[in-house]
Amino acid sequence: MAARAVIILLLIAPIAGDGAPFIGKHRISAALDSPLSSLFKWVSKSPPKNPQTEASLVRFESGYLVETIADGNRLGLTPHAIRVSPDGELIAVDSVNSNIVRITPPLSAFSRGRLVAGSFQGRSGLIDGKPSEARFNQPRGVAVDRRGNIYVADVSNLAIRKIGDSGVSTIAGGKAGAAGFRDGPSEEARFSADFDVVYVKSLCSLLVVDRGNAALRKIFLHDDDCTQDFSSVGFSDIL
């Protein structure tokens, strides 16, 4: 109705010498610019397009079998990420209980889990030192170097931790207590709240997949961590 009134008003209003309509002594072009502009935009606006989804096409390949080789409910752990150590054992990160656990082959539904570092009671914190006294806070990533050192993406502590022969230590982050994006010495480095770690032997480095900062970052490791043969890190039974 308002649009019709505007059009009728334009038809009956006198036209000034410069082509602008007026009512009495007042030009109305400025008053009509905004309503007309909105009207034309509304008329010309096209309806939103619906996203196109292609139909699924699944081709199953036969010859594969799914089998449970570790029952976390029975073991009392919730594996979040797993890496294979140089001696073939599984190093699992239990993010729920803030523990690092080792699962020794042969693997079966009756496999045993052993605590590498963290709390038997699942207590969280940021404490370095002896593996049994160390505390993590919702770790979500793990890597193992050639020597057998374990590196942990301790996400809620915003830190990268190392489990080695001398115990648990922090090699980067964790000091600021807040997420960020900063390179530099270990104490000054800062990460986002979403990152993982990957060991790359050819670079003798630990790569940090810093998802929250959309960045790939690198930590140079000690030479002996990349050249010496494997030596197992101590652990204790979790059961």
Side-chain angles (χ1 to χ4, degrees), residues 171-173 182-190:
I171 66 171
R182 180 182 298 172
D183 292 335
S186 59
E187 294 183 359
E188 299 178 5
R190 295 176 67 177

Side-chain angles (χ1 to χ4, degrees), residues 113-190:
R114 297 182 177 182
L115 184 68
V116 176
S119 167
F120 282 104
Q121 296 78 23
R123 296 173 181 170
S124 61
L126 179 54
I127 301 176
D128 291 331
K130 296 180 180 179
S132 60
E133 298 176 357
R135 297 292 180 266
F136 302 86
N137 193 356
Q138 296 182 331
R140 296 182 183 176
V142 63
V144 185
D145 66 21
R146 183 175 179 180
R147 191 179 182 186
N149 295 311
I150 299 171
Y151 302 91
V152 180
D154 196 356
V155 174
S156 290
N157 280 326
L158 302 169
I160 296 176
R161 319 282 294 281
K162 176 182 177 181
I163 308 172
D165 295 333
S166 59
V168 179
S169 60
T170 300
I171 66 171
K175 184 177 180 180
F181 189 8
R182 180 182 298 172
D183 292 335
S186 59
E187 294 183 359
E188 299 178 5
R190 295 176 67 177

